Amino acid sequence: MLVASKFAITSIVSLLVLAGAAASENGTVAGAAEDTPRYTAAGELQVPARFREWVFLSSGLDMSYNPIAAAAGHSTFENVFVNPAAYRSFLQSGTWPDKTMFMLEVRAAAGATSINKNGQTQSEQVLGRELHVKDARLDGGWGFFAAADSGMGIPIKRPADCYACHEAHAAVDTTFVQFYPTLLPVAKAKGTLSPAYLADEKAAAR
């Protein structure tokens, strides 16, 4: 009877372990599927609901190139996230694989917050979100999408200024890796910095 009980307990534990492993695997697969580009028939991009679980690359302050926004006198923080699979690939190669997805989230800055009366912190107010996607099916291999309240990314069509700026000045593969302090050393070590970026750096050093 004791032997049978031990056998039964061992079998139950084994089943629980296998079930847990299956659930974990399914969760990983589901997460991976959500972190790759998914489009509607009209070409709109499904905005990933879990982008906050992606890798956080950097936060810039007042990085807008829009002169109207800069003249408004209100500071903003620009937070950049990238899907984990693309991040891991970049660490190995120094460049971005197909299906890379960036999320840019712009938040209003707030001063004198709580006990901190100096400097600025990020407020709850989200001013906008934009996705930058590497996908061979897109014109030029990269595309920008403005995240709408509907949860869809509306394509920003060429020749918008964002395309020209990224292609002319980005450090790696039309992305501003020069603003990502943990990734710029990787690109330098892998020798993947773009000629355009190197030319900008050379001109700035004169």
Side-chain angles (χ1 to χ4, degrees):
M1 203 58 186
L2 181 60
V3 173
S5 297
K6 286 183 178 180
F7 177 78
I9 292 172
T10 301
S11 299
I12 291 171
V13 170
S14 298
L15 289 172
L16 289 173
V17 170
L18 290 173
S24 176
E25 182 179 353
N26 289 337
T28 301
V29 171
E34 184 177 304
D35 294 347
T36 57
R38 294 182 294 171
Y39 307 94
T40 66
E44 295 184 347
L45 176 70
Q46 177 69 54
V47 176
R50 297 167 28 155
F51 76 88
R52 296 196 174 283
E53 299 177 17
W54 290 3
V55 178
F56 175 70
L57 294 181
S58 184
S59 182
L61 179 64
D62 293 336
M63 295 290 287
S64 174
Y65 300 105
N66 186 331
I68 296 176
H74 302 293
S75 289
T76 58
F77 285 92
E78 293 77 29
N79 303 312
V80 183
F81 305 83
V82 69
N83 57 316
Y87 176 81
R88 291 191 294 269
S89 180
F90 189 95
L91 294 181
Q92 296 298 317
S93 67
T95 191
W96 301 107
D98 197 50
K99 303 302 185 290
T100 293
M101 298 179 70
F102 289 90
M103 172 66 83
L104 170 67
E105 179 187 66
V106 182
R107 284 185 176 269
T113 305
S114 185
I115 61 171
N116 187 347
K117 305 305 178 184
N118 299 311
Q120 299 184 88
T121 58
Q122 299 192 41
S123 76
E124 298 179 17
Q125 182 184 8
V126 177
L127 301 178
R129 295 190 179 110
E130 186 176 288
L131 290 131
H132 190 194
V133 179
K134 184 175 184 179
D135 193 331
R137 66 184 290 180
L138 300 173
D139 183 18
W142 283 90
F144 289 93
F145 298 81
D149 292 338
S150 63
M152 301 305 299
I154 311 304
I156 300 174
K157 297 182 179 180
R158 295 175 182 269
D161 290 343
C162 49
Y163 290 99
C165 183
H166 278 252
E167 289 166 2
H169 303 289
V172 178
D173 201 8
T174 79
T175 65
F176 287 123
V177 168
Q178 60 262 52
F179 301 145
Y180 309 147
T182 61
L183 295 187
L184 184 57
V186 176
K188 289 179 178 178
K190 301 292 184 180
T192 56
L193 293 172
S194 71
Y197 168 75
L198 293 173
D200 282 347
E201 290 297 288
K202 185 176 180 179
R206 291 175 183 169

